[in-house]
Amino acid sequence: MAVQPQTNQAVTTGTEYIVRCKDVVKEYMMGTQVVRALNGVTLDIVRGEYLSIMGPSGSGKSTLFNMIGGLDKPTSGSVFINDVDMAQLDAQELAFLRCRTIGYIFQTFNLIPVMTALENVMLPMIFGGLSTDEAIDRGIELLKLVGLGERLHHKPSELSGGQQQRVAIARALANNPQIILADEPTGNLDLRTGKEIIELLRQLNKEQGVTIISATHDLKMVDVSDRIVWIRDGRIDRVEERAAVEVRVGDVEGTPG
Amino acid sequence: MRKDGRQVERLQLPFRVAFHISMQSVRIRFWRSVITAAGTVLGIAFLVSVLTAMMIQRNSGAVTDPSERYRMTWLVIMSLLVCLVGITNAMLMSVTERYKEIGTMKCLGAYDIFIVELFFIESALVGFIASVIGWFLGVFAVVLIKLFSEGFKVFGWISPGEVLLYLIYSIVIGTLLSVIATIIPAQVAARMPAAAALRVEV
C-alpha cells in the first residue's frame, strides 16, 4: 500500500501533484442503511491545472469535492494535499489549511451578509494574521483585479449575483491559496455572467498559476478545463483531457473508447 | 509544513474585528435581535419593578410583610429562568438560520472558538441594550402605577441613588443572563461543519 504512491510518482517524473486521492471510499448512514457515496476513487491532480469534476446529482461528485477540499473525511482510503495526509490533521491544522492553502467559491456566493465587499475579502487575511492596513491594501487590489474597484463598500445585498461571485473570487484569492475549489460557481448565474466568471477563473489559473478544481454540470466549463473527471455511481467513469474533448467536439460521431 | 515538528501558526480573530462583526450582525438582523432582546427586557423589567415597588413601600413607611419578600424573590427568579429559556430558543433559531454563514467562516479558516466568540459578543451586546431598556420600563411602570394610586408624594419616596444602583444590577444580571442563554446555541453553531457552507436550499 505504502509503496504505490511512490511508483505512481516515478512513472510521471516531473509532474507535481497537489492533490492525490487514493482508493477513497465514503459511506453515509441514512437511517439504518449504509449508502456508499464514493466507491474507491483514485485521482491525482496536477499543480496548476484546471480540473472539472462533472456528473449528475447523486453521483458522488459533491462528496468527492468535499474530500478534496478538506471539508469531509473519507471512510477509508486517503486524501493528500501537498503530500500531507488530511486524516492526520487536527481541527486547528485543518482550519489553517482552509485559510491559507485553499480558497473556496460557492454556488450561492456565500458572502457574509453583514460585511461589505472589502470586509469580506479582508476576513481570511485577518484570520491569517495580516494587519488591518495590509488587509485593506490587498483587499482593494484584489477587488480591482476582479473588476470591482468601484464597489468596495457595498453590502452583498446591494450587489448583483455576478458581482457577488466576483467578490467571492477575490476573497478566495486573499491568502494566495494554491488551490481554488469552486462548487458549481456558475450554478446561480445567467449564461453571460456565468461565462464571464468562468473566463475570470481561467485567467487567474493562467496568470497566477493557482490550481482550480471545480464541481459542476455546466458544460461551458468543458472549454476551459485542462481535464474533466466524470463521476458516476461513486466511481470515476472517465477522465478526458482537453485535447481529446476538442477532437470529440469537432468530430460528431467520435471514436469509440 | 508539518513534517519538521508541529509548527502550526495560530489563526486569529482580533476582538476589535469580532466586535465589529457582531455589532453589524445585531444591526442588520434588527428584528431577530429584537425578539432575542424581548426576553431580557421583560425579565429585567419585572425584576426592577419589584425592586422599585419594594423601595417605594419601604420609604413610604408602610409595614412590609417578610413573607411577601420571599414570594417576590421566588417570582423574580422564576421569571428570569423563563426568560433564559426564551433567549436560548431565539438564539437557536438564529443559529439554524445562519448555518451557511457559519460554514463559510469555517471555510475561511475560523476556529470553533471564533464562532463561539462572535455569538457571545452578540448576545452580550443585545443583553446590555435590553437591560437598559428593561430597567427603564420597570421603573417607569411602577412609578406610573404608584402615581395613580398615591399621587405626587410618590416622588418623595424614590431614592435616586438606589434606582441608579438597580441600573447596574440590571446590566450585570441582564448581560449575564443573555450570555448564559447563548452557551448552548453557540456550541451548536461552533459544531456546524464547514461543509454546511455548500448546502443548497431547494
PDB file of all heavy atoms in Angstrom, chain B residues 35-46:
ATOM      1  N   ILE B  35     -36.389  40.206  18.932  1.00  0.00           N
ATOM      2  CA  ILE B  35     -37.028  39.029  19.532  1.00  0.00           C
ATOM      3  C   ILE B  35     -36.149  38.460  20.648  1.00  0.00           C
ATOM      4  O   ILE B  35     -36.623  38.126  21.733  1.00  0.00           O
ATOM      5  CB  ILE B  35     -37.305  37.951  18.458  1.00  0.00           C
ATOM      6  CG1 ILE B  35     -38.331  38.473  17.458  1.00  0.00           C
ATOM      7  CG2 ILE B  35     -37.776  36.656  19.095  1.00  0.00           C
ATOM      8  CD1 ILE B  35     -38.502  37.606  16.231  1.00  0.00           C
ATOM      9  N   THR B  36     -34.843  38.366  20.363  1.00  0.00           N
ATOM     10  CA  THR B  36     -33.926  37.865  21.380  1.00  0.00           C
ATOM     11  C   THR B  36     -33.914  38.797  22.583  1.00  0.00           C
ATOM     12  O   THR B  36     -33.912  38.358  23.733  1.00  0.00           O
ATOM     13  CB  THR B  36     -32.486  37.772  20.813  1.00  0.00           C
ATOM     14  OG1 THR B  36     -32.554  37.274  19.485  1.00  0.00           O
ATOM     15  CG2 THR B  36     -31.617  36.889  21.663  1.00  0.00           C
ATOM     16  N   ALA B  37     -33.919  40.101  22.299  1.00  0.00           N
ATOM     17  CA  ALA B  37     -33.839  41.089  23.374  1.00  0.00           C
ATOM     18  C   ALA B  37     -35.100  41.095  24.230  1.00  0.00           C
ATOM     19  O   ALA B  37     -35.030  41.354  25.436  1.00  0.00           O
ATOM     20  CB  ALA B  37     -33.603  42.477  22.783  1.00  0.00           C
ATOM     21  N   ALA B  38     -36.239  40.785  23.604  1.00  0.00           N
ATOM     22  CA  ALA B  38     -37.518  40.871  24.322  1.00  0.00           C
ATOM     23  C   ALA B  38     -37.483  40.073  25.623  1.00  0.00           C
ATOM     24  O   ALA B  38     -37.969  40.547  26.663  1.00  0.00           O
ATOM     25  CB  ALA B  38     -38.651  40.385  23.424  1.00  0.00           C
ATOM     26  N   GLY B  39     -36.901  38.900  25.592  1.00  0.00           N
ATOM     27  CA  GLY B  39     -36.805  38.067  26.790  1.00  0.00           C
ATOM     28  C   GLY B  39     -36.111  38.798  27.918  1.00  0.00           C
ATOM     29  O   GLY B  39     -36.608  38.859  29.054  1.00  0.00           O
ATOM     30  N   THR B  40     -34.947  39.368  27.599  1.00  0.00           N
ATOM     31  CA  THR B  40     -34.177  40.077  28.616  1.00  0.00           C
ATOM     32  C   THR B  40     -34.927  41.316  29.089  1.00  0.00           C
ATOM     33  O   THR B  40     -34.977  41.603  30.289  1.00  0.00           O
ATOM     34  CB  THR B  40     -32.790  40.477  28.059  1.00  0.00           C
ATOM     35  OG1 THR B  40     -32.248  39.366  27.364  1.00  0.00           O
ATOM     36  CG2 THR B  40     -31.857  40.899  29.160  1.00  0.00           C
ATOM     37  N   VAL B  41     -35.503  42.047  28.154  1.00  0.00           N
ATOM     38  CA  VAL B  41     -36.231  43.277  28.523  1.00  0.00           C
ATOM     39  C   VAL B  41     -37.317  42.945  29.548  1.00  0.00           C
ATOM     40  O   VAL B  41     -37.406  43.574  30.602  1.00  0.00           O
ATOM     41  CB  VAL B  41     -36.870  43.933  27.269  1.00  0.00           C
ATOM     42  CG1 VAL B  41     -37.810  45.055  27.683  1.00  0.00           C
ATOM     43  CG2 VAL B  41     -35.797  44.471  26.334  1.00  0.00           C
ATOM     44  N   LEU B  42     -38.118  41.915  29.258  1.00  0.00           N
ATOM     45  CA  LEU B  42     -39.230  41.574  30.145  1.00  0.00           C
ATOM     46  C   LEU B  42     -38.740  41.096  31.502  1.00  0.00           C
ATOM     47  O   LEU B  42     -39.244  41.523  32.548  1.00  0.00           O
ATOM     48  CB  LEU B  42     -40.116  40.512  29.487  1.00  0.00           C
ATOM     49  CG  LEU B  42     -40.862  41.001  28.244  1.00  0.00           C
ATOM     50  CD1 LEU B  42     -41.597  39.865  27.571  1.00  0.00           C
ATOM     51  CD2 LEU B  42     -41.823  42.131  28.608  1.00  0.00           C
ATOM     52  N   GLY B  43     -37.740  40.231  31.484  1.00  0.00           N
ATOM     53  CA  GLY B  43     -37.208  39.706  32.740  1.00  0.00           C
ATOM     54  C   GLY B  43     -36.669  40.817  33.625  1.00  0.00           C
ATOM     55  O   GLY B  43     -36.960  40.890  34.826  1.00  0.00           O
ATOM     56  N   ILE B  44     -35.866  41.689  33.038  1.00  0.00           N
ATOM     57  CA  ILE B  44     -35.250  42.782  33.799  1.00  0.00           C
ATOM     58  C   ILE B  44     -36.315  43.789  34.243  1.00  0.00           C
ATOM     59  O   ILE B  44     -36.288  44.277  35.378  1.00  0.00           O
ATOM     60  CB  ILE B  44     -34.143  43.467  32.968  1.00  0.00           C
ATOM     61  CG1 ILE B  44     -32.974  42.495  32.745  1.00  0.00           C
ATOM     62  CG2 ILE B  44     -33.657  44.743  33.635  1.00  0.00           C
ATOM     63  CD1 ILE B  44     -32.267  42.025  34.002  1.00  0.00           C
ATOM     64  N   ALA B  45     -37.281  44.049  33.378  1.00  0.00           N
ATOM     65  CA  ALA B  45     -38.350  44.982  33.746  1.00  0.00           C
ATOM     66  C   ALA B  45     -39.091  44.460  34.965  1.00  0.00           C
ATOM     67  O   ALA B  45     -39.395  45.215  35.904  1.00  0.00           O
ATOM     68  CB  ALA B  45     -39.312  45.175  32.579  1.00  0.00           C
ATOM     69  N   PHE B  46     -39.347  43.175  35.003  1.00  0.00           N
ATOM     70  CA  PHE B  46     -40.049  42.590  36.148  1.00  0.00           C
ATOM     71  C   PHE B  46     -39.200  42.708  37.413  1.00  0.00           C
ATOM     72  O   PHE B  46     -39.664  43.146  38.463  1.00  0.00           O
ATOM     73  CB  PHE B  46     -40.404  41.130  35.864  1.00  0.00           C
ATOM     74  CG  PHE B  46     -41.212  40.493  36.955  1.00  0.00           C
ATOM     75  CD1 PHE B  46     -42.454  41.010  37.310  1.00  0.00           C
ATOM     76  CD2 PHE B  46     -40.726  39.402  37.656  1.00  0.00           C
ATOM     77  CE1 PHE B  46     -43.203  40.434  38.320  1.00  0.00           C
ATOM     78  CE2 PHE B  46     -41.461  38.821  38.672  1.00  0.00           C
ATOM     79  CZ  PHE B  46     -42.704  39.340  39.013  1.00  0.00           C
TER      80      PHE B  46
END
